[in-house]
């Protein structure tokens, strides 16, 4: 890569100020809007039951291409795209009744039969709305990391230099938050089994999980330096990259599980950690050091990645807190559709409550008149950024949960394990399932393809038509690989 072009590429993604939160919300609302249309087609028409070429094409158009359009050609009018998705969904939902899949009732005669029926239900069931949330988040991430290198992707969507909000800023935090949500599953399994692992055991297990991520971080580091690839140094630092942040999260989270005995709430732990980190930024020279210090040694050269890690750790803990109440079935659940509906209402209320709590805390930190008068900074991963990520993701999960609740009520009303699995399969997009199943492996593939495209194409020089053709081809390849892995029952563990 010529030095002059490399400098142009670096300038293309540097010193950006972002856009408004309302616009980001409008763009990302395309994901639940597309899932709503997919869900109505499935529940009213059973459109995706026989998953052939036509079903895959529509699945791909709704859950991948719609997001690609929202971040490129429809970036100036995302509300129009939302209307185009929601209008047919609402009309079809209101005009046709769902095609019943006939839940199998379980005869309950006395407490013994009731307990037997409950035992057949998985206490950690597959949640289609979580699959939709994580799959959509992964698709947006995979599209954004390549689209940002083209002019068709607005500069206000790219990562902000110091202060402000952008689509890619919320994407990075959402990746960590969603990882925290599913990281709650092993904790819940241990709780249900009555196991209590010691600190050394937890640390060893987390280290094993971290080693592959450290290896990926080293590979990315040496490939970027060796190929003279354009890089945005102020994003994480000279040597640091996102894989290093992901690799360090498990060991630190293992340590925080010890604090859980003293403060039995990961949400409170996240808030305390984020507040303590913000206090260090405000009461010491840390903020000035991270933003303006010369890069003279290994610490100062990677100060953004090292400092922001504590913000990402708080986000991960908040994600775990969310996972602890959205993933499990209530242990007090009785085997009736009425109690199942009550449990789902409680979940919706809890999600809405936490969305409101995180949003109010965010408003307090940002308010100049009644709050702390702070600004969001992804580069610092400061407290407002942590709260913004938490509020955004809880609201997204709430939206997907509402869609499932109203369009696929049989999922949460199922009274035995086999019925529940069948209903969950019907309520899950194959595309979203495939991205969710091998998320980190697909993210790695997307990074490799992004590098390959940038090394072979002068992305900032191509016109919108060519850019869209490249982006669509890229999306087809990534999605095809994801679908193929899932169809063959392959889970790539990294």
């Amino acid at each position: 890569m010529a030095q002059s072009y490399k400098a142009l590429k670096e300038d293309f993604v540097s010193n950006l100020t972002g856009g408004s939160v309302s616009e980001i919300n409008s763009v990302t609302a395309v994901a639940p809007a597309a899932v709503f249309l997919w869900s109505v087609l499935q529940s009213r028409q059973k459109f995706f039951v026989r998953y052939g070429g036509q079903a895959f094409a529509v699945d791909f158009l709704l859950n991948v291409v719609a997001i690609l359009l929202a971040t490129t050609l429809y970036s100036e009018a995302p509300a129009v795209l939302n209307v185009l998705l929601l209008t047919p969904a609402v009309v079809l939902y209101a005009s046709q009744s769902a095609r019943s899949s006939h839940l199998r009732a379980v005869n309950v005669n006395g407490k013994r039969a009731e307990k037997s029926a409950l035992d057949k239900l998985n206490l950690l069931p597959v949640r289609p709305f979580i699959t939709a949330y994580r799959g959509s988040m992964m698709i947006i991430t995979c599209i954004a990391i390549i689209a940002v290198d083209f002019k068709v992707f607005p500069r206000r969507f790219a990562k902000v230099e110091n202060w402000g909000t952008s689509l890619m800023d919320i994407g990075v935090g959402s990746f960590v938050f969603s990882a925290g949500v599913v990281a709650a599953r092993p904790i819940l399994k241990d709780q249900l089994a009555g196991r209590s692992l010691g600190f050394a055991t937890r640390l060893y297990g987390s280290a094993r999980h971290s080693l592959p991520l450290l290896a990926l971080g080293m590979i990315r580091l040496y490939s970027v330096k060796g190929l003279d690839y354009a890089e945005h140094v102020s994003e994480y630092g000279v040597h640091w990259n996102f894989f290093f942040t992901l690799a360090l999260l498990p060991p630190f989270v293992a340590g925080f599980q010890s604090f859980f005995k003293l403060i039995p709430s990961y949400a409170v732990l996240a808030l305390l950690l984020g507040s303590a980190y913000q206090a260090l930024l405000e009461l010491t020279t840390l903020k000035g050091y991270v933003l303006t210090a010369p890069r003279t040694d290994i610490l100062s050269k990677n100060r953004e990645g090292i400092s922001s890690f504590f913000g990402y750790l708080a986000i991960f803990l908040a994600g775990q807190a969310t996972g602890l109440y959205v993933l499990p079935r209530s242990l007090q659940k009785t085997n009736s559709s009425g109690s199942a509906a009550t449990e789902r209402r409680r979940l919706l209320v809890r999600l809405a409550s936490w969305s409101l709590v995180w949003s109010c805390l965010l408003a307090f930190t940002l308010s100049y008149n009644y709050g702390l008068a702070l600004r969001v900074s992804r580069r610092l991963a400061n407290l407002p950024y942590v709260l913004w990520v938490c509020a955004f993701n809880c609201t997204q999960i709430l939206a997907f949960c509402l869609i499932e609740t109203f369009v696929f009520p049989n999922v949460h009303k199922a009274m035995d394990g086999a019925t529940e699995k069948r209903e969950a399969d019907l309520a899950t997009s194959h595309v979203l399932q495939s991205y969710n199943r091998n998320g980190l492996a697909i993210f790695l593939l997307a990074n490799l393809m992004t590098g390959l495209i940038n090394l072979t194409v002068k992305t900032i020089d191509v016109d919108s038509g060519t850019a869209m053709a490249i982006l669509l081809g890229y999306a087809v390849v990534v999605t095809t690989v994801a679908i193929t892995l899932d169809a063959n029952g392959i889970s790539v563990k990294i």
Side-chain angles (χ1 to χ4, degrees):
M1 182 180 296
Q3 180 65 31
S4 59
Y5 181 69
K6 178 185 176 182
L8 287 173
K9 285 294 294 291
E10 291 172 348
D11 290 342
F12 191 57
V13 295
S14 300
N15 301 312
L16 302 175
T17 56
S20 68
V21 171
S22 60
E23 183 183 38
I24 294 167
N25 291 339
S26 183
V27 170
T28 53
V30 168
V35 168
F36 180 42
L37 179 53
W38 182 96
S39 300
V40 172
L41 286 172
Q42 177 72 322
S43 68
R44 267 49 180 175
Q45 301 290 330
K46 292 293 184 285
F47 190 90
F48 303 97
V49 171
R50 294 183 178 180
Y51 202 76
Q54 182 184 24
F56 168 73
V58 175
D59 199 357
F60 176 74
L61 287 171
L62 289 178
N63 291 305
V64 179
V65 176
I67 291 173
L68 174 60
L69 291 174
T71 56
T72 53
L73 300 183
Y74 278 83
S75 59
E76 299 299 328
V80 173
L81 186 56
N82 279 304
V83 170
L84 291 175
L85 291 167
L86 290 173
T87 300
V90 171
V91 170
L92 190 58
Y93 180 80
S95 61
Q96 296 186 18
S97 300
R99 295 187 179 181
S100 175
S101 54
H102 304 293
L103 287 179
R104 282 192 293 121
V106 178
N107 292 324
V108 179
N109 297 312
K111 295 182 178 179
R112 182 175 300 178
E114 183 175 314
K115 182 180 187 299
S116 176
L118 180 58
D119 288 342
K120 294 179 182 179
L121 286 166
N122 190 348
L123 293 177
L124 284 175
V126 172
R127 299 289 200 186
F129 70 91
I130 293 295
T131 300
Y133 153 70
R134 281 176 48 83
S136 297
M137 181 277 303
M138 184 58 64
I139 290 169
I140 294 175
T141 300
C142 290
I143 288 175
I145 62 174
I146 178 60
V148 69
D149 295 316
F150 294 88
K151 290 182 178 178
V152 72
F153 187 86
R155 292 303 86 197
R156 65 185 182 279
F157 288 175
K159 291 177 182 175
V160 172
E161 188 70 20
N162 291 321
W163 310 101
T165 56
S166 77
L167 179 67
M168 292 193 72
D169 285 343
I170 196 64
V172 175
S174 297
F175 194 101
V176 174
F177 188 96
S178 70
V181 170
V182 295
R185 183 173 287 271
I187 297 174
L188 290 165
K189 285 183 177 179
D190 289 340
Q191 290 178 354
L192 292 172
R195 293 191 300 263
S196 180
L197 301 179
F199 174 73
T201 304
R202 294 198 307 269
L203 191 61
Y204 174 73
S206 64
R208 288 182 58 188
H209 182 71
S210 294
L211 287 177
L213 291 168
L214 284 173
L216 291 175
M218 294 302 296
I219 292 171
R220 176 175 173 79
L221 170 61
Y222 283 109
S223 61
V224 167
K225 301 299 181 184
L227 295 172
D228 195 29
Y229 192 77
E231 53 184 327
H232 189 192
V233 173
S234 63
E235 186 176 343
Y236 294 107
V238 176
H239 309 103
W240 199 278
N241 59 61
F242 190 51
F243 287 110
F244 290 142
T245 297
L246 293 176
L248 287 179
L249 284 171
F252 276 82
V253 171
F256 267 85
Q257 281 184 250
S258 300
F259 290 101
F260 190 74
K261 296 178 181 178
L262 300 175
I263 306 174
S265 170
Y266 284 106
V268 173
L269 285 173
L271 188 57
L272 289 175
L273 176 61
S275 299
Y277 172 53
Q278 186 64 46
L280 283 176
L281 289 172
E282 299 298 325
L283 302 178
T284 69
T285 59
L286 180 60
K287 180 167 64 176
Y289 173 78
V290 173
L291 297 178
T292 63
R295 302 183 188 275
T296 57
D297 52 34
I298 190 68
L299 182 64
S300 60
K301 287 180 180 179
N302 298 284
R303 58 184 186 265
E304 292 92 350
I306 296 171
S307 178
S308 65
F309 172 78
F310 297 100
Y312 288 119
L313 178 57
I315 291 171
F316 189 91
L317 291 171
Q320 274 195 327
T322 305
L324 288 174
Y325 68 80
V326 301
L327 296 181
R329 185 188 313 282
S330 172
L331 297 178
Q332 287 74 41
K333 182 184 187 302
T334 57
N335 195 51
S336 70
S337 60
S339 61
T342 300
E343 182 185 350
R344 178 50 64 98
R345 284 195 296 270
R346 287 173 180 168
L347 175 58
L348 290 169
V349 169
R350 194 165 184 180
L351 276 168
S353 298
W354 274 111
S355 298
L356 182 61
V357 167
W358 293 123
S359 298
C360 289
L361 289 173
L362 172 62
F364 173 73
T365 61
L366 297 178
S367 174
Y368 282 89
N369 295 324
Y370 305 103
L372 302 179
L374 300 174
R375 291 179 291 173
V376 173
S377 173
R378 177 211 45 83
R379 185 176 179 183
L380 295 171
N382 61 355
L383 181 60
Y385 177 72
V386 171
L387 296 172
W388 177 40
V389 170
C390 294
F392 173 85
N393 281 272
C394 281
T395 304
Q396 283 277 306
I397 295 173
L398 173 63
F400 287 114
C401 189
L402 282 168
I403 292 169
E404 181 194 300
T405 301
F406 286 101
V407 184
F408 296 109
N410 288 345
V411 174
H412 67 270
K413 291 181 179 179
M415 293 179 285
D416 65 88
T419 303
E420 183 177 53
K421 183 180 185 304
R422 184 178 69 248
E423 295 298 327
D425 288 343
L426 285 172
T428 304
S429 154
H430 283 270
V431 166
L432 296 178
Q433 163 67 23
S434 65
Y435 272 88
N436 175 62
R437 180 172 186 170
N438 289 297
L440 199 53
I442 297 303
F443 181 61
L444 176 60
L445 171 64
N447 272 271
L448 292 174
M449 289 190 64
T450 296
L452 179 62
I453 291 171
N454 274 279
L455 290 172
T456 55
V457 178
K458 290 189 174 182
T459 56
I460 62 175
D461 294 335
V462 302
D463 57 52
S464 295
T466 304
M468 290 304 297
I470 293 172
L471 292 173
L472 184 60
Y474 160 91
V476 169
V477 172
V478 173
T479 304
T480 300
V481 171
I483 283 283
T484 302
L485 290 174
D486 185 56
N488 289 281
I490 299 172
S491 295
V492 181
K493 302 298 182 182
I494 298 180

